[in-house]
Amino acid sequence: LEYSSQLETQSREVEKTARKLREANAKLTALSVQKDAFLSQVSHELRTPMTSIRSFSEFLMEGGMDEQAQARYAGIIHEESIRLTRLLDDLLDLSVLENGQVVLNVQTASLRDLLDRAVSSAGLDASKPNGLEVLRTVEDEGVLLKTDTDRLSQVFINLISNAQKYCLSDAPSLRIVVSQSTDNVDIDFIDNGLGISPKDATVVFEKFVRLTDQASAGSAGLGLAISREIMHRLGGTLDYVPGQGGAAFRVQLPLVRVERAA
Ligand code: ADP
């Protein structure tokens, strides 16, 4: 009797181990499918600029066109190579962030200064349509953050330039609203454009997702994926907030230290 109960225990153990192995195997298969999908997306994204660089350089080599056309082709090659470099930089950045190899450079800074700088550096990029009015609330007064300020600024700049690119409105405007609770500080970026449907809002944070083909020409759909990854590394979150009229994104950070200005 004892022998048979030993056998039963052993067979339960074997069954348990087999189940774990099956689960691990399923996870590996899923990862490998993800990796393949990622690689095929990356090669697709690389192919587009590569193809135009190749074709336009071939045109130039054939010669026979006037100077104006020559300059135009050279301009396209130049733009496409910049786009390629940006894409590779973004991919490397994302891979470093996802693998947890990123070294954070934590500093103390005022949230107001960080937002000021992000607003002005987003505005400096001449390739984006300007005219976006930026409205700020005053609740960022005296909020000090202890975080990687360069990385946080990168997220702010991404959200502001997305509002510049995608906020389709006659009088585009972006409200940046800071609010504090006991544990967190929320920084909301709310524009007055068309917003993002609930279905799309769940996928915009995925890699290579672009909803508006025309407006996002030249960008790879990696900005929000990178920004969300950065926020996770900083111990915070980045989410879409539905029901705000236009598009609304919320950056949330744990409040490490807050000092109210006197
Ligand atoms: P991209 O590099 O294309 O800007 P993002 O990851 O930053 O990539 O954004 C993904 C997509 O989400 C964009 O292509 C755009 O369609 C949509 N999107 C982002 N921000 C906004 C916004 N403020 N209003 C409307 N759509 C937006």
Side-chain angles (χ1 to χ4, degrees):
L1 198 71
E2 201 179 306
Y3 180 65
S4 94
S5 95
Q6 257 178 10
L7 265 184
E8 219 172 275
T9 317
Q10 274 174 357
S11 99
R12 266 202 304 273
E13 282 302 314
V14 168
E15 180 51 39
K16 220 162 92 186
T17 312
R19 199 174 54 236
K20 276 190 189 151
L21 274 174
R22 275 196 303 273
E23 283 167 7
N25 194 28
K27 268 189 201 149
L28 270 177
T29 312
L31 275 177
S32 152
V33 168
Q34 269 177 24
K35 200 185 85 199
D36 287 349
F38 177 69
L39 277 178
S40 99
Q41 279 171 320
V42 169
S43 33
H44 174 79
E45 295 293 332
L46 292 176
R47 191 162 293 137
T48 319
M50 288 303 277
T51 306
S52 43
I53 290 174
R54 201 178 59 216
S55 329
F56 285 101
S57 57
E58 277 166 10
F59 289 156
L60 281 178
M61 280 154 68
E62 280 165 19
M65 73 275 297
D66 61 29
E67 256 178 45
Q68 233 180 352
Q70 250 179 28
R72 205 174 62 241
Y73 293 171
I76 294 173
I77 293 173
H78 182 69
E79 258 169 42
E80 292 297 307
S81 55
I82 290 176
R83 176 171 155 192
L84 209 50
T85 312
R86 199 181 329 129
L87 179 61
L88 290 175
D89 286 345
D90 281 356
L91 282 170
L92 274 178
D93 203 17
L94 195 58
S95 133
V96 166
L97 284 160
E98 282 182 340
N99 295 330
Q101 298 156 327
V102 63
V103 181
L104 295 179
N105 174 18
V106 176
Q107 290 169 328
T108 304
S110 115
L111 176 58
R112 169 166 288 189
D113 287 348
L114 288 182
L115 285 170
D116 279 344
R117 267 184 273 148
V119 169
S120 51
S121 46
L124 284 177
D125 189 337
S127 69
K128 288 170 202 126
N130 40 30
L132 179 83
E133 181 191 19
V134 179
L135 308 161
R136 301 264 297 274
T137 59
V138 290
E139 276 133 76
D140 53 3
E141 187 101 58
V143 178
L144 286 185
L145 295 174
K146 214 171 174 178
T147 188
D148 186 322
T149 50
D150 286 343
R151 284 299 191 173
L152 185 61
S153 298
Q154 192 181 342
V155 175
F156 291 165
I157 291 171
N158 178 235
L159 294 174
I160 298 166
S161 45
N162 273 357
Q164 283 177 318
K165 287 189 282 185
Y166 307 118
C167 175
L168 304 175
S169 156
D170 292 339
S173 82
L174 173 71
R175 274 187 303 135
I176 304 179
V177 182
V178 176
S179 47
Q180 297 172 55
S181 63
T182 26
D183 303 323
N184 297 306
V185 56
D186 292 351
I187 307 131
D188 290 346
F189 295 78
I190 309 164
D191 68 36
N192 67 345
L194 298 176
I196 299 174
S197 76
K199 182 174 73 58
D200 289 336
T202 59
V203 298
V204 277
F205 294 99
E206 286 172 19
K207 292 169 212 147
F208 305 115
V209 169
R210 279 162 292 204
L211 303 175
T212 36
D213 262 2
Q214 263 180 333
S216 38
S219 38
L222 289 174
L224 287 174
I226 292 176
S227 295
R228 180 171 258 186
E229 204 59 50
I230 291 177
M231 289 317 300
H232 287 170
R233 296 285 157 224
L234 298 183
T237 51
L238 168 64
D239 289 296
Y240 187 77
V241 189
Q244 294 288 313
F249 290 89
R250 168 167 296 169
V251 170
Q252 189 169 71
L253 268 177
L255 213 47
V256 179
R257 200 176 81 202
V258 177
E259 284 171 9
R260 285 243 165 238

